[in-house]
Amino acid sequence: MEQQYPESAVVFRNVGQLYFPQTRVECHYSMTSAHQWSSRDWIGIFKVGWSSLREYHTYSWSLVPEGYAEGTAVDCCALFQAFYLPRPSTEEYQFVYVDKVGGVCARSRPFTFCSPKPLEELETLKEECDEEDGDEEELLLVVPKAQLLQSQLEESWREKEELQQAVEEAKQQIEEERRNSRKVKEEWESEREAMKEQISELLENLNHKCDALKTVEGKHLDVTSSQQNLNTELNQLLEEKVQSQQRIKDLEEDIKALADREEERNTEMERLKEILKKACNQIKLDEEKKTLLKAAHDAALAEVRGLQLRLESSERLAESLRRELRELGTRQGHAHAELHQAHLQVAQLGLQLSEEKLLLREERTNWALEREASRQAAEADQKKLEELSSEVCRKEEQLREERMKMDKLEAGFGMRDHDADGDAHLCARRPGDTHDQAVHHVS
C-alpha cells in the first residue's frame, strides 16, 4: 500500500514496488473535493530523501477528465514516457504531487526501476493470426515475465478502479435519494406543524372573542342597572333636601371644621377637569394625525386609569366621611348644605361624564374604518366608560357628604340652592340620554 497523509487532499493509488524503464509508467491518483485543482499542478518522480523540489528526475502535468467541476472528487492518471524514466538501479523513487504554489500535497510509497532478467523470467505467449490464404497459425511471443506481470497487474488495477468508481456512483445516487427523501419528509412535517399552529391560533382567537363579547354584554347590563339606581338616589336626595333645610344652623361649627377638606376636594376636581380637557385635546389632535391614533389612544387610556385611581382614593375618603355622617346623624340640620353641594358636584360630574361620552363617541366614529380592531377598541372604551360612570356615582355620594360641611357657601345659599336644583335636574336627564346614545352606538 502507498503512504497516505491524513491532511492531504490527493491520494496515490495502485503504486507498484518496481517499474521497467523500457515501458511507460502510469501514475494513478485521486483528488478529493477539498483539493483546488489548477492546470499548473504537476507530479514528479523524486529520489527518496529529496530535500528540494528542484531535485525531481522527471515530471508530468496534472490532468483532469473532461467535464471536471471544481469541488468534486475525481480519479486521474498521469503518464511518464519511457525515454525520461530513470535507469535501472537499486535507488528508491516516489511520486510527489505539487500544487501551483509549490506545496506538496501527497507522496507515494517508494518503488524502484529494474530490468527484467534475461532467460529465467521470460514468458512465451501464443497469439493467433490470420494469413491471406485463410489458414490460421499460432505465433509465439517471448516477453519478460516481469513485464507480463506488470501489464496484468495494471489491467487488474484498471478493472478495480472501474468497479470502485461504479460503487462510488451507486453510493452517491443512494445518498442523494436519501437526502431528497429526508428533505421532502421534513418539508411535509414543517407544513403540518405550521397548519396545526394556525388552527390552534384561530381557535384560541375565536374563544377570546366570544369571552370578550359575553363580558361586554354583562357589563352593559350592569351599567343600565347602575344608571337606574343613580336616578333613584337623586330622587331620594331631593326629598331629603326639604327635610334638611330646618337643620342647617346646628351644624355651622362642623361645616367650618370641614371647610379645609372641601377646598382640597375642589382642587382635586379642578385637576381632574384639566386632565379630561387634556385628554380631549389629545384625542382631537390624534384625529388629525391618523397614523398616531393608537399611541394617542393608549395615552388617553393611561390618563383614564389615573383618574380611576384618584376616584378610588376619593371613594375610600367618602367611606370615612360616611362614618362621620352616621355619628352626626342626630344633628340633622347639616343635611341641607351637604345636599346643596352634592347637587353642584353631581352637575359637574354629569358634565364631565357627558364630555367623556361625547369624546368616546367621536373616537368610535373615527375607528369605524378599521372594523375588527375598531370594534375591540370601542368595546374597551365602553368598558372603561362604564367603570367611570360607577365611580362618578360613588364620587357624587362622597361630594354630597362633604358639601354638607362647607361654610363658605352658606352666604350664597339661596342662589346656590337654585343653581343646584337646576344642575341636579340636568344631571338626572343626562345619564339616561348618554346611556341611550351608548346603547345606540353599540347596536
Side-chain angles (χ1 to χ4, degrees):
M1 293 296 294
E2 62 271 17
Q3 182 180 2
Q4 298 181 8
Y5 297 85
E7 73 278 8
S8 176
V10 179
V11 179
F12 288 103
R13 299 181 294 103
N14 303 327
V15 178
Q17 294 182 352
L18 56 90
Y19 292 96
F20 301 109
Q22 295 82 4
T23 60
R24 70 179 184 180
V25 174
E26 295 182 356
C27 175
H28 297 271
Y29 59 96
S30 298
M31 290 190 299
T32 64
S33 58
H35 178 68
Q36 295 182 354
W37 175 82
S38 172
S39 59
R40 296 172 59 188
D41 294 355
W42 56 279
I43 301 170
I45 297 178
F46 290 77
K47 283 186 180 182
V48 174
W50 59 275
S51 60
S52 174
L53 293 177
R54 296 181 180 180
E55 298 178 4
Y56 66 89
H57 184 85
T58 185
Y59 73 93
S60 176
W61 294 109
S62 174
L63 302 177
V64 294
E66 185 178 357
Y68 167 74
E70 186 176 356
T72 59
V74 65
D75 295 331
C76 305
C77 178
L79 299 179
F80 293 90
Q81 300 299 327
F83 180 77
Y84 300 103
L85 295 177
R87 295 180 180 180
S89 66
T90 59
E91 294 286 346
E92 290 185 339
Y93 295 85
Q94 62 181 169
F95 297 116
V96 178
Y97 190 101
V98 183
D99 60 15
K100 62 180 179 180
V101 296
V104 177
C105 298
R107 304 182 188 185
S108 71
R109 71 177 184 181
F111 55 85
T112 58
F113 290 93
C114 63
S115 299
K117 295 182 180 180
L119 295 176
E120 60 273 16
E121 293 187 0
L122 296 178
E123 291 289 338
T124 302
L125 299 179
K126 293 182 179 181
E127 182 179 352
E128 295 182 355
C129 63
D130 295 336
E131 295 183 352
E132 295 179 356
D133 54 3
D135 296 336
E136 296 182 356
E137 293 183 358
E138 294 183 353
L139 297 178
L140 296 178
L141 299 177
V142 178
V143 297
K145 182 178 180 181
Q147 184 177 357
L148 177 62
L149 294 175
Q150 180 69 23
S151 62
Q152 292 177 352
L153 179 61
E154 291 177 355
E155 183 66 25
S156 299
W157 285 342
R158 283 193 294 269
E159 292 178 356
K160 181 181 177 182
E161 290 175 0
E162 292 175 357
L163 292 174
Q164 288 180 348
Q165 186 175 2
V167 170
E168 290 297 330
E169 292 178 355
K171 288 182 179 179
Q172 290 178 359
Q173 291 179 356
I174 293 172
E175 185 64 24
E176 185 176 359
E177 291 179 357
R178 288 179 180 175
R179 286 195 299 268
N180 293 334
S181 177
R182 285 195 298 268
K183 184 177 180 181
V184 172
K185 184 177 180 181
E186 290 174 358
E187 291 177 354
W188 180 78
E189 290 290 341
S190 61
E191 290 178 358
R192 186 178 66 176
E193 292 297 330
M195 292 180 67
K196 286 183 179 179
E197 292 178 358
Q198 291 178 357
I199 292 172
S200 62
E201 289 178 358
L202 291 174
L203 292 175
E204 185 177 357
N205 292 334
L206 182 60
N207 294 331
H208 288 332
K209 290 178 180 178
C210 292
D211 295 338
L213 184 59
K214 291 180 181 178
T215 304
V216 170
E217 290 177 353
K219 290 184 177 180
H220 178 68
L221 295 176
D222 293 338
V223 169
T224 303
S225 62
S226 64
Q227 291 290 343
Q228 293 176 356
N229 294 332
L230 178 61
N231 294 330
T232 303
E233 290 177 359
L234 290 175
N235 294 330
Q236 292 176 356
L237 290 174
L238 292 174
E239 294 175 358
E240 292 176 358
K241 173 185 174 182
V242 178
Q243 299 176 359
S244 61
Q245 288 178 350
Q246 299 176 359
R247 304 165 187 172
I248 294 174
K249 295 180 180 181
D250 297 335
L251 298 176
E252 291 177 354
E253 296 178 356
D254 295 334
I255 292 172
K256 291 179 180 180
L258 296 174
D260 297 336
R261 198 176 295 178
E262 177 60 23
E263 290 178 357
E264 294 177 356
R265 296 273 65 80
N266 289 335
T267 302
E268 181 180 358
M269 291 304 301
E270 291 296 329
R271 187 169 58 255
L272 294 177
K273 289 179 180 180
E274 291 297 327
I275 292 172
L276 291 175
K277 290 179 180 178
K278 291 179 180 179
C280 179
N281 294 331
Q282 184 66 27
I283 291 173
K284 291 179 179 179
L285 180 61
D286 292 341
E287 290 176 355
E288 297 175 357
K289 300 178 181 179
K290 292 184 179 180
T291 57
L292 302 176
L293 180 61
K294 191 174 185 305
H297 177 64
D298 293 339
L301 291 179
E303 291 178 356
V304 172
R305 294 191 188 98
L307 181 60
Q308 290 177 354
L309 294 176
R310 294 188 183 91
L311 291 177
E312 289 176 358
S313 64
S314 299
E315 181 183 5
R316 289 192 293 270
L317 182 59
E319 183 63 26
S320 64
L321 293 176
R322 287 193 191 96
R323 288 195 296 268
E324 292 179 2
L325 182 61
R326 294 190 190 98
E327 295 175 358
L328 298 175
T330 57
R331 291 180 276 180
Q332 299 176 355
H334 149 179
H336 180 271
E338 178 186 1
L339 180 60
H340 175 69
Q341 298 301 328
H343 286 322
L344 292 176
Q345 188 63 30
V346 167
Q348 293 176 357
L349 293 176
L351 292 174
Q352 293 176 3
L353 182 60
S354 299
E355 292 176 356
E356 291 177 358
K357 289 183 178 180
L358 179 60
L359 293 176
L360 180 61
R361 183 174 59 189
E362 293 175 355
E363 288 179 357
R364 289 176 178 172
T365 302
N366 294 328
W367 297 338
L369 299 176
E370 299 177 358
R371 193 169 187 79
E372 187 62 24
S374 297
R375 189 185 65 179
Q376 295 178 357
E379 291 175 353
D381 291 339
Q382 181 67 23
K383 174 182 175 182
K384 294 185 182 339
L385 183 61
E386 292 170 355
E387 293 176 356
L388 182 61
S389 298
S390 61
E391 293 295 334
V392 167
C393 293
R394 289 195 291 269
K395 187 68 178 178
E396 289 172 356
E397 294 179 0
Q398 170 199 342
L399 294 175
R400 185 180 66 248
E401 294 173 356
E402 291 180 357
R403 294 293 180 178
M404 291 172 63
K405 302 174 185 180
M406 291 183 59
D407 60 341
K408 292 184 178 181
L409 301 175
E410 181 181 2
F413 175 74
M415 183 182 295
R416 294 183 180 180
D417 187 17
H418 178 71
D419 295 336
D421 292 338
D423 293 338
H425 288 296
L426 177 61
C427 181
R429 290 195 302 271
R430 287 186 176 177
D433 296 339
T434 305
H435 171 67
D436 294 339
Q437 294 173 359
V439 172
H440 176 70
H441 180 71
V442 172
S443 62

